[in-house]
Amino acid sequence: MIRGKAAVFFGPGRPLEIRELTLADVEPDAILIRVSLANVCGSDLHFWRGDAPLKLPADGWIFGHEMTGRVARLGVRVKTDSLGQPLKEGDRVAYAYFYPCGRCPACLGKEPAACLFKVGRPLGPSEFPHFHGAFAEYYYLKPGGAIFTVPDALADDLVAPVNCALSQVIFGLHKAGFRFGDTLVIQGAGGLGVQAAAVAKDLGAQTVIVVDQIPGRLELAKAFGADHTINVKEVADRRERVKLVRQWTGGVGADVACDLVGFPAVIPEGIEMLRSGGTYLEIGTISRGAKVELEPALLVWGTKKIVGVIQYDPWVIPRALDFLVRTRERWPWHRILSHKYPLEQINEAFEASEWHNRETTTITRAALTP
Ligand SMILES: [Zn+2]
Ligand SMILES: [Zn+2]
């Protein structure tokens, strides 16, 4: 019998509440993880804020997904991680928080990230296996979940963003066909944006331009490799911003631009910042129902495409870990996590992470230490 605390979400505007849960046993192919760090990700903020309608279970929802931890209990049939390396209780691990079904056209076509069934409906604390999310002492990795041991060289602070923000941007740039020598516009200098800058430079980007409205975030993007930044508060005219991007990309526009903001109003401008033939990578706007007006002829005459990506194929995680090992001196990774809170202070952590409609923020990413 395993007992542990979890934070339960009852809807926007209501405080999360800590509950004690019990789990009878771990299935033969599952793994129970003792969560060391659970970050407040931008998409958690969307749910918390109520940016989109969300149907919650009557007994609340246990959420959170960007995290790292240690193996607390291995199912009896689990002997190795997803790369075949020996896995034992106590090992530090990085793991995916979604589960491609293995039996659908996307899975059959070896595109697990496109599986429609990889994330189930929100589950409450009463439903097995109870520990559904990161904001808890334990996380239950379901049978078949992708899991990888973590190199000793990496501190937990660096590993916590791996299974969401970092893998998300690596896979997104991969799907957008980002190549050596390409130019990139990143809209949004939050956790995803700054890590995308570093990944793009490691991939051999010619120029990385980051757009945001908070000076501290733009400064951090520069520290993570951005060549140019645009503060939309300072360059208030959209045409001026597009002109700047042209100027910094040899007069043609960027090969790839990406929405890492999460508010769809930025999308038409990002598409305009592309060169003819360029690709727009849509990751940020996860809120269902959020809309934007778009002129399709701009895609047609510009031969531009839009690529939408949510989550990633699991092969990305070990590459993300390797990337951190080889760039841990190059980029200030220790600046990604700026604040830590015990699980009991989860409401303070969300309050402090809120950046929307704020002029300044001192927080990059807050983490819970359950
Ligand atoms: Zn996330
Ligand atoms: Zn599937």
Side-chain angles (χ1 to χ4, degrees):
M1 187 81 89
I2 297 124
R3 298 176 72 84
K5 281 181 275 186
V8 185
F9 180 62
F10 292 96
R14 299 174 58 181
L16 287 98
E17 294 174 24
I18 304 295
R19 294 285 151 82
E20 179 121 332
L21 310 179
T22 55
L23 172 70
D25 208 356
V26 177
E27 296 160 282
D29 295 301
I31 299 171
L32 187 72
I33 288 157
R34 180 68 178 88
V35 178
S36 330
L37 275 181
N39 294 354
V40 177
C41 165
S43 53
D44 300 324
L45 281 171
H46 282 302
F47 300 130
W48 177 78
R49 231 184 249 133
D51 289 337
L54 189 69
K55 204 165 171 286
L56 296 179
D59 62 337
W61 180 31
I62 299 180
F63 73 137
H65 55 275
E66 190 173 298
M67 59 179 147
T68 185
R70 285 177 187 275
V71 174
R73 197 164 298 182
L74 279 182
V76 293
R77 277 203 291 263
V78 185
K79 307 280 182 239
T80 68
D81 72 0
S82 299
L83 282 171
Q85 299 300 313
L87 191 63
K88 56 184 193 311
E89 289 175 2
D91 281 350
R92 295 169 61 230
V93 282
Y95 40 93
Y97 57 92
F98 50 88
Y99 304 86
C101 75
R103 289 181 171 270
C104 76
C107 287
L108 184 66
K110 302 220 172 356
E111 289 185 280
C115 175
L116 267 183
F117 313 105
K118 67 186 188 292
V119 182
R121 64 189 163 80
L123 294 176
S126 63
E127 246 175 300
F128 179 84
H130 316 294
F131 296 100
H132 310 294
F135 302 140
E137 288 182 325
Y138 292 98
Y139 176 72
Y140 191 92
L141 191 84
K142 294 195 253 179
I147 186 166
F148 303 90
T149 54
V150 167
D152 292 338
L154 300 177
D156 285 342
D157 288 26
L158 272 69
V159 179
V162 163
N163 80 334
C164 175
L166 183 56
S167 290
Q168 188 64 77
V169 296
I170 293 172
F171 189 65
L173 290 170
H174 170 74
K175 292 298 273 185
F178 191 83
R179 291 181 304 182
F180 178 77
D182 272 355
T183 55
L184 178 69
V185 169
I186 295 168
Q187 296 171 292
L192 287 161
V194 296
Q195 294 181 67
V199 170
K201 291 311 276 187
D202 198 58
L203 284 167
Q206 166 66 23
T207 305
V208 173
I209 301 161
V210 180
V211 187
D212 202 280
Q213 57 177 349
I214 297 171
R217 287 164 50 133
L218 288 170
E219 185 273 318
L220 191 62
K222 280 224 150 162
F224 276 85
D227 300 287
H228 305 278
T229 58
I230 299 175
N231 186 333
V232 296
K233 290 267 162 71
E234 284 164 17
V235 190
D237 184 351
R238 167 177 161 173
R239 283 164 306 180
E240 281 304 309
R241 298 195 290 267
V242 173
K243 227 165 99 184
L244 280 173
V245 168
R246 292 253 159 78
Q247 204 177 302
W248 293 327
T249 53
V252 295
D255 295 295
V256 175
C258 43
D259 165 18
L260 302 180
V261 178
F263 292 94
V266 306
I267 295 169
E269 176 173 334
I271 292 172
E272 205 179 333
M273 287 169 169
L274 290 172
R275 70 162 166 82
S276 180
T279 301
Y280 192 72
L281 174 61
E282 180 52 51
I283 289 178
T285 303
I286 61 158
S287 303
R288 289 181 198 276
K291 287 179 182 150
V292 70
E293 208 165 84
L294 198 66
E295 193 184 331
L298 294 176
L299 296 176
V300 176
W301 290 97
T303 324
K304 296 175 181 180
K305 51 188 169 297
I306 303 177
V307 173
V309 177
I310 180 102
Q311 291 141 354
Y312 47 85
D313 293 350
W315 59 257
V316 175
I317 291 181
R319 289 172 188 239
L321 293 168
D322 290 345
F323 164 69
L324 286 175
V325 171
R326 76 172 172 272
T327 63
R328 65 191 196 282
E329 307 293 332
R330 186 178 179 195
W331 313 117
W333 291 109
H334 60 276
R335 292 183 63 191
I336 295 282
L337 274 195
S338 56
H339 294 64
K340 286 185 189 171
Y341 299 83
L343 186 64
E344 286 73 14
Q345 286 177 28
I346 188 167
N347 292 298
E348 286 89 328
F350 269 84
E351 200 52 60
S353 300
E354 176 62 310
W355 59 271
H356 191 221
N357 294 329
R358 272 195 207 160
E359 281 297 314
T360 54
T361 174
T362 53
I363 203 156
T364 49
R365 229 164 180 71
L368 281 307
T369 52

